[in-house]
Amino acid sequence: MEAAVKGDDNPEECPVCLTDFDDTVQRPRCLPCGHTVCTSCIDKLKEQGHVACLQCCVSHAVPEGGEFPVNYIAEEFIRVMWDANVAAAASLPPSARKRKGEARAAGKKKVARLSKKMCSFLEEQEATVMDAIAACREVESQLDLYKTTLTGWGEQQRQLEDRLQGLVDQSKSAREIVELEKSHVAAKDGEVKNGRQELQAVLETLYAPAIDQEAGMAVAETVRCLGKVEQVVEECQESFPDASAVTTVRKVRVASSVALEAVQTVQMALETVTKEDLQSQSDPEEARPQSTQEEARPQSTQEEARPQSTQEEARPQSTQEEARPQSTQEEARPQSTQEEARPQSDPAKSSAQSELESTIMGRLQFILMLSLKAEDLRSLTQPARSLLQAGLVFAVHQVEGQRRHARISLEAGRLYLYALKEQPLPLGASTLQVSEVVPPSPPCTVFLDLSWPGRATRRVKIHLSPDTPWGRQFLLLCSGQRGPSYRNTNLLWVVRKGRLGESVIAGDYESNDGKGTSRLLSDLDKGEYRRSGRLGDVCGLRWSGHNRCARGLFGIFTKNRQENDMSGLVFGEVVEGLPVVVEAAKYSNIRKVTVVDCGVVL
C-alpha cells in the first residue's frame, strides 16, 4: 500500500498492487475521483458497498452493477505500448532478444527467493514466446495477402457476371467459393490474433513470479499456450490455400472470358485490363524452343493464341507467371516436368522451390501453375500425366453449397473418374469441374468394381445407349452427381438361376435390400429402348404389381433369353468384365457380392 500512497511513474502498472494491467483479471477501471485501479484491487478494497481510493483517500459507492467503468483510454494506450515493445523485440536477433530479456528481467522487482535455474528457464521461455509471436505476425501477414488476392478475384468475378448472361450461374458459384474461402481465412485469422494476445498475456506472467511454485505454474501455462498457437499456425500453413477453390475460380474465370470474347468485342474486354496485366505480357521464355515450353508448363497457361485482352482477363491478377524470372517458373512446375528441362540433381533450384512452397502465397502460385483444363487431361500432356500419376487430379461438383470431389486416375492408358464423395484434397491438387469431363447424358461408358469374399476387386464396364431415361439415371448413379451412387451397394438376387434368361439384379442405393423406393428421374419407362435378352445386356426392371421401375433396380443378363421372351428396357451392355458377372451369379451368397466402387470411363 505504500507504493500506492507515494504513486508510481509506470502507467502500465496498477498503483496499488504494482501489477501490469491486462484485458482479463487486471483490467484498468476508473474511479469517480479519476484514479485508475485494476479490477482485482477494487474487489479487495470493497467494504460495505464502498471503495476507498488509496491515492486520494476518497470513498466511492460501488455502482449498481457491482463494477466501476473500464478505463478504455488507458487500456488502449497500454495495448499500443505492448504491441510496440513486442514488435521491437521480435525484430531483434535471438541473441539481442535474450540480452533485452535479461535487461527487462533485471528492471522488474524479482523476488530474491527465485532460483537462478528458474530465472534462466523463464528467460528461455520468454525468448520462445517472442519467436512464436513473430511467427504469428508472419502468418497474419500471409493471410492478409491471401485475403487481398481472394478479394481481387471476387471483384473481378463480379464484373464478369454483369457482362455475361450465359454464365451468370457459374460466375455466382465461383464468387460464393471465394467468399467461403475468405470466411475460412477470416476465422483462422481471428484464431491467430487471439493466440498472439494470449501469448502476450502469458509473457507478462513470466516476469515476476514470487516463488518456484508460481514460476512452475507460469511455465505450464506458457507451454499450453505455445502448443495451442503452434497448432493454429500449422493449421494455417496446411489449410491455405484451398487447391479446389483456387482452381475452380480460375477455370470459371477462363470460361467466362472465352464466352465474353465470343459475344462482345475486344474493346469491351480491354476495359478491365490493369497495369499489372499489361506488364505481364513480356514472356522471358520466348527465347526457348516452342516444344520445350509446351511440355514444361501446364497447357492451361498457354493462351497465346487468344486475343491479348482476353488472356489478361482470364488469369488472376496475382499470377503473372510471365513477368517472373525463368527460374521461378521452372520451380513452380511439377517435379517430373522439371526433370526433363534440367538435370535431376540441382540443389539450388530445389531449395528455391521449397522456399516457394513454404508460404501461403507461394503455394497459391504453385497451385495456379499446376491447374489443368479438360483438354490437357484428354490429350494427356506431360504435366497432366505427372499429376495423374501423383494422384493429384480431382473433379469438383458443388450443389447448394456442398462441394464433393471425384478422384481421376490413369490406369492402363485410360482415364477413370470415380464416384463423387466428401474427401479432403491433398495439398497441390489440381481440380476440374465434373461438367468439364463427364457428358451430361449417354452414350458413354461407366464401370462397376465388384468383389466378394475370396476374390479380388475386378472391373465391369458398361456402355450406355443414348436417349433413355434409364441410361441417364445410371450415369448419375455411377458418378454420384445427384448425391447417391452405387458405391458400397450389394447385388440382390439372381433371377432364373441356371436357366435361360438368368440375370443378376442390383441397384438399391437407398436401402440395399431391394425394398428401396427412391428414384432420381421420373418416367423411366418412357424412352427409345431396344428389346433384347442377350448375354451381357443391362436393363431396367418393370415387374407387374411391384413398380420396381421406380426403385432404380437394374439387371444384367448372364444367360441368353429365348427369342420370344425379350426385355423392353435395355439401356446398355457389358463391354468388358462379363465373366466377372457370370462368376458372381454362381457364388453361393449373392448378397455378399459388393460394388466396392463405381464411376465413369473418360
Side-chain angles (χ1 to χ4, degrees):
M1 301 303 178
E2 183 179 355
V5 175
K6 294 179 179 179
D8 201 326
D9 295 333
N10 190 353
E12 300 181 52
E13 296 179 348
C14 171
V16 177
C17 63
L18 301 181
T19 303
D20 286 354
F21 291 118
D22 58 29
D23 55 0
T24 54
V25 179
Q26 308 294 133
R27 296 194 73 177
R29 295 191 178 271
C30 187
L31 298 176
C33 61
H35 292 114
T36 299
V37 184
C38 73
T39 304
S40 178
C41 289
I42 288 180
D43 292 339
K44 295 177 182 178
L45 293 173
K46 288 181 181 177
E47 294 183 2
Q48 298 180 352
H50 288 75
V51 172
C53 177
L54 297 182
Q55 291 184 285
C56 63
C57 299
V58 176
S59 180
H60 307 288
V62 177
E64 294 183 0
E67 296 287 356
F68 288 94
V70 175
N71 191 335
Y72 292 105
I73 296 178
E75 193 174 54
E76 182 63 25
F77 174 71
I78 293 169
R79 185 179 294 110
V80 170
M81 293 180 63
W82 283 351
D83 290 343
N85 292 336
V86 170
S91 62
L92 296 174
S95 58
R97 223 179 300 160
K98 184 176 181 180
R99 290 195 299 270
K100 185 173 181 179
E102 293 174 352
R104 292 188 62 182
K108 290 288 180 179
K109 299 178 178 62
K110 298 260 185 188
V111 179
R113 288 173 295 175
L114 198 63
S115 65
K116 293 183 178 179
K117 182 177 181 180
M118 183 57 69
C119 289
S120 176
F121 186 62
L122 290 175
E123 291 171 1
E124 293 177 358
Q125 293 297 312
E126 178 184 358
T128 305
V129 171
M130 299 297 291
D131 291 337
I133 292 175
C136 288
R137 291 189 177 278
E138 176 62 25
V139 172
E140 288 180 38
S141 176
Q142 293 182 31
L143 292 175
D144 288 339
L145 288 173
Y146 188 39
K147 284 193 296 183
T148 301
T149 301
L150 292 170
T151 301
W153 287 352
E155 181 60 29
Q156 291 181 18
Q157 202 64 48
R158 187 186 301 277
Q159 295 175 3
L160 288 174
E161 285 179 15
D162 296 337
R163 300 165 62 187
L164 296 170
Q165 295 300 322
L167 295 178
V168 167
D169 291 339
Q170 292 186 26
S171 297
K172 287 183 178 179
S173 176
R175 184 158 48 87
E176 289 173 1
I177 293 174
V178 170
E179 297 301 327
L180 181 62
E181 182 76 344
K182 282 179 60 180
S183 68
H184 291 167
V185 173
K188 193 60 66 176
D189 190 26
E191 292 182 23
V192 174
K193 284 184 170 63
N194 291 337
R196 176 169 58 81
Q197 292 174 0
E198 287 185 21
L199 287 174
Q200 290 173 342
V202 167
L203 188 61
E204 299 301 325
T205 65
L206 299 175
Y207 290 149
I211 59 177
D212 286 351
Q213 183 178 4
E214 292 182 1
M217 294 175 62
V219 170
E221 179 64 13
T222 300
V223 173
R224 185 193 67 80
C225 291
L226 284 172
K228 178 180 178 182
V229 170
E230 289 173 357
Q231 182 179 0
V232 172
V233 172
E234 183 178 356
E235 290 174 355
C236 289
Q237 297 292 348
E238 293 178 353
S239 302
F240 302 106
D242 186 322
S244 175
V246 170
T247 54
T248 297
V249 173
R250 185 177 186 276
K251 294 305 175 52
V252 174
R253 294 180 64 240
V254 170
S256 301
S257 299
V258 173
L260 179 63
E261 178 189 2
V263 176
Q264 301 293 340
T265 62
V266 175
Q267 283 72 21
M268 295 182 65
L270 286 172
E271 295 175 1
T272 59
V273 175
T274 62
K275 179 180 180 181
E276 292 77 11
D277 289 328
L278 291 173
Q279 293 175 350
S280 69
Q281 294 173 8
S282 59
D283 189 348
E285 295 191 353
E286 288 179 355
R288 297 172 55 188
Q290 180 70 21
S291 59
T292 304
Q293 296 183 34
E294 296 294 329
E295 294 177 357
R297 62 183 173 188
Q299 188 172 347
S300 59
T301 63
Q302 302 168 8
E303 299 173 353
E304 289 80 6
R306 296 182 185 173
Q308 183 174 333
S309 59
T310 305
Q311 295 180 35
E312 299 296 333
E313 205 173 333
R315 64 185 165 204
Q317 185 174 352
S318 62
T319 59
Q320 303 171 5
E321 293 100 341
E322 290 81 5
R324 297 186 302 189
Q326 181 173 340
S327 59
T328 305
Q329 299 185 19
E330 294 286 347
E331 294 151 11
R333 299 185 195 124
Q335 184 175 359
S336 60
T337 306
Q338 297 179 36
E339 292 173 354
E340 296 178 4
R342 59 175 173 80
Q344 186 171 358
S345 58
D346 192 340
K349 290 190 177 181
S350 299
S351 175
Q353 179 174 346
S354 299
E355 183 178 354
L356 176 64
E357 298 180 11
S358 64
T359 64
I360 292 176
M361 295 306 295
R363 290 195 302 274
L364 173 64
Q365 299 289 342
F366 186 71
I367 292 170
L368 289 170
M369 289 291 292
L370 294 180
S371 61
L372 295 176
K373 293 194 300 183
E375 292 78 3
D376 302 323
L377 205 60
R378 295 188 182 96
S379 58
L380 284 180
T381 61
Q382 183 58 43
R385 187 181 295 272
S386 300
L387 290 171
L388 287 166
Q389 292 173 348
L392 295 177
V393 181
F394 292 81
V396 181
H397 188 62
Q398 180 163 334
V399 178
E400 297 179 354
Q402 182 184 21
R403 187 167 52 184
R404 296 180 299 145
H405 307 97
R407 179 171 61 92
I408 299 178
S409 67
L410 178 63
E411 304 169 25
R414 294 297 303 271
L415 293 171
Y416 296 90
L417 178 141
Y418 289 80
L420 288 156
K421 62 180 180 180
E422 296 182 6
Q423 57 181 327
L425 291 179
L427 186 64
S430 183
T431 60
L432 305 94
Q433 292 294 314
V434 169
S435 58
E436 293 184 71
V437 292
V438 176
S441 62
C444 61
T445 301
V446 297
F447 67 88
L448 305 174
D449 288 343
L450 301 183
S451 179
W452 59 89
R455 296 294 294 179
T457 301
R458 289 177 291 174
R459 180 157 295 174
V460 177
K461 295 182 183 179
I462 301 173
H463 182 74
L464 302 179
S465 304
D467 300 328
T468 61
W470 253 109
R472 291 192 292 272
Q473 176 172 277
F474 202 85
L475 174 60
L476 292 174
L477 287 169
C478 284
S479 63
Q481 294 179 69
R482 293 287 184 89
S485 71
Y486 287 136
R487 182 195 289 116
N488 295 328
T489 60
N490 300 327
L491 304 192
L492 300 173
W493 56 80
V494 180
V495 178
R496 296 181 179 180
K497 188 168 185 177
R499 297 179 292 163
L500 291 176
E502 178 188 78
S503 59
V504 172
I505 308 302
D508 187 358
Y509 60 86
E510 181 185 20
S511 60
N512 205 21
D513 58 4
K515 299 179 181 178
T517 59
S518 296
R519 59 182 179 180
L520 295 182
L521 302 179
S522 59
D523 299 328
L524 292 176
D525 58 340
K526 296 181 179 180
E528 298 296 329
Y529 295 97
R530 63 182 176 88
R531 297 179 59 85
S532 179
R534 299 192 308 248
L535 175 67
D537 280 345
V538 183
C539 64
L541 300 190
R542 181 175 56 186
W543 290 355
S544 176
H546 294 276
N547 194 24
R548 290 278 172 88
C549 185
R551 298 179 181 176
L553 301 184
F554 66 91
I556 301 177
F557 285 104
T558 52
K559 289 183 181 294
N560 289 319
R561 273 191 172 190
Q562 296 179 356
E563 294 184 2
N564 59 353
D565 186 15
M566 296 288 103
S567 172
L569 291 178
V570 176
F571 61 87
E573 61 177 331
V574 178
V575 294
E576 186 177 322
L578 183 58
V580 179
V581 185
V582 174
E583 185 179 347
K586 298 177 181 179
Y587 188 66
S588 58
N589 187 350
I590 193 66
R591 292 294 181 93
K592 292 187 177 181
V593 180
T594 304
V595 180
V596 296
D597 216 331
C598 56
V600 182
V601 182
L602 303 180

